[in-house]
Amino acid sequence: MISIEQPTIPLNPDVFKLLRDMLYEHCGVWLDEQSKFFVEGRLQETLRRHRFGSFKDLYYFLKYDARRAEEFATVIDLLTIHETYFFREDHQLHALYREILPELMKRRQDRTLRIWSAGCSTGEEVYSVAMLLASQPGYGDWRVEISGSDISQRVLEVARRGVYPASAFRTTPPDVRKRFFHQEGEGFRVDDSIKRMVNFFSFNLADVDRAAVLPKMDVILCRNVIIYFDSAVKKRVVEMFSNRLRPGGYLLLGHSESLMSISTAFSLRHLRHDIVYQKEEGISAAA
């Protein structure tokens, strides 16, 4: 059978600006002018699925339709990158395991630790942290809360299911996979002992007011997420992270991300395994 390629529906520059501004207002993701052709290509299937004849139809759907929240999540999925794997940027996780966690465990007199992976995608980072904690000497009698959040319900469903393909283990030591995973079909399922250590919830990082309900954290990981934000949203999000961290708590960003000209609430810590951000001790926060 000969397949007939469907024609590309063009994205008018003025409609691109409407969609771009709507996305920015909704979740803080900023798309520059060079992103127009990327958006045009990524959303073609969305237009065809709804039988829209133009991008303006999609814009009005996202603005007024009762189902707009669900479709907005799909659009965000298509326009942001969720590619991740276990123990990604592992030297930073080595710093977490060998330096940050032992320091926090000496400091926390109430024997509680709270860790938040903000923008956790399909959950590999959250489970990586849980496996590191489960391997930490003296962990057993601590109360540990490890949370992962993302704006996308689709990736959170994958995270909660906890079954991953072999490609997710590209930097995972074989003994770690053998200890913490069980083969399920062609994939591998996270052991229940690790699943019980974590929880996942939906959260829009641009909705900084909602963060007030979150408890104070010892570590926040937000790696390769704020690159999607402009400087104004970055400042709001990083200020929110500072407010949610205990004094002396740690913020771990992606290696292409920096707080330069963004925040003075953190100092740069040069650890043996990596460089990370630490909230200044003098900045108070309720426990």
Side-chain angles (χ1 to χ4, degrees):
M1 181 181 294
I2 300 175
S3 62
I4 300 175
E5 186 174 341
Q6 294 179 294
T8 298
I9 299 172
L11 174 55
N12 178 281
D14 291 336
V15 178
F16 166 71
K17 291 176 183 178
L18 290 172
L19 287 168
R20 177 194 66 186
D21 293 348
M22 178 186 285
L23 186 69
Y24 179 74
E25 291 171 9
H26 180 75
C27 63
V29 171
W30 177 251
L31 300 169
D32 58 25
E33 296 291 339
Q34 285 69 43
S35 301
K36 185 178 86 71
F37 292 107
F38 169 74
V39 173
E40 182 180 85
R42 294 289 285 178
L43 298 184
Q44 290 294 314
E45 184 56 37
T46 301
L47 297 180
R48 295 185 186 111
R49 177 161 48 83
H50 287 286
R51 299 182 179 180
F52 292 152
S54 71
F55 275 91
K56 184 170 280 190
D57 293 337
L58 174 62
Y59 170 75
Y60 285 124
F61 182 91
L62 294 173
K63 191 171 181 66
Y64 299 113
D65 196 276
R67 298 162 292 167
R68 62 186 179 276
E70 180 180 348
E71 194 60 47
F72 231 127
T74 301
V75 168
I76 293 167
D77 275 350
L78 291 169
L79 298 181
T80 54
I81 299 171
H82 292 289
E83 194 272 345
T84 186
Y85 48 89
F86 290 101
F87 300 99
R88 186 180 185 185
E89 297 182 357
D90 58 348
H91 40 297
Q92 191 175 71
L93 294 179
H94 280 305
L96 177 66
Y97 175 70
R98 299 185 183 280
E99 300 176 78
I100 294 173
L101 289 177
E103 176 189 312
L104 291 171
M105 292 174 81
K106 287 180 181 178
R107 187 195 311 165
R108 294 298 301 168
Q109 298 300 312
D110 61 359
R111 305 183 77 77
T112 66
L113 282 175
R114 295 193 187 103
I115 301 173
W116 176 23
S117 171
C120 69
S121 187
T122 44
E124 287 92 331
E125 178 175 88
V126 181
Y127 290 124
S128 295
V129 171
M131 287 183 277
L132 290 175
L133 262 166
S135 304
Q136 190 76 26
Y139 149 77
D141 57 350
W142 278 69
R143 184 165 63 88
V144 178
E145 299 173 13
I146 306 172
S147 302
S149 71
D150 203 279
I151 195 172
S152 167
Q153 291 288 353
R154 182 187 64 82
V155 298
L156 290 175
E157 288 173 7
V158 175
R160 292 185 181 108
R161 182 166 179 253
V163 178
Y164 297 92
S167 60
F169 298 90
R170 67 193 74 171
T171 60
T172 304
D175 60 316
V176 172
R177 190 169 77 175
K178 183 177 180 180
R179 177 182 175 187
F180 293 116
F181 293 86
H182 308 280
Q183 189 153 5
E184 185 172 292
E186 296 184 0
F188 297 85
R189 176 173 51 83
V190 180
D191 188 81
D192 287 343
S193 64
I194 297 300
K195 276 188 149 187
R196 285 193 292 269
M197 295 174 64
V198 310
N199 71 86
F200 296 97
F201 63 98
S202 176
F203 188 80
N204 181 353
L205 289 176
D207 187 5
V208 294
D209 293 336
R210 187 183 162 213
V213 303
L214 299 177
K216 299 295 182 180
M217 304 289 171
D218 296 288
V219 181
I220 296 176
L221 300 96
C222 186
R223 306 195 299 169
N224 307 302
V225 176
I226 66 172
I227 53 174
Y228 291 108
F229 302 149
D230 69 356
S231 59
V233 176
K234 283 180 183 177
K235 287 180 180 180
R236 292 204 305 270
V237 171
V238 171
E239 181 182 8
M240 178 265 289
F241 287 155
S242 175
N243 290 336
R244 300 331 301 162
L245 276 170
R246 291 175 171 134
Y250 286 89
L251 175 61
L252 277 58
L253 300 178
H255 289 130
S256 63
E257 299 167 320
S258 168
L259 295 186
M260 186 177 296
S261 303
I262 298 295
S263 174
T264 59
F266 296 87
S267 58
L268 207 56
R269 281 287 305 271
H270 291 258
L271 304 177
R272 292 194 310 274
H273 294 87
D274 202 7
I275 300 173
V276 299
Y277 288 99
Q278 185 175 25
K279 180 177 174 177
E280 296 286 354
E281 291 275 4
I283 299 179
S284 63

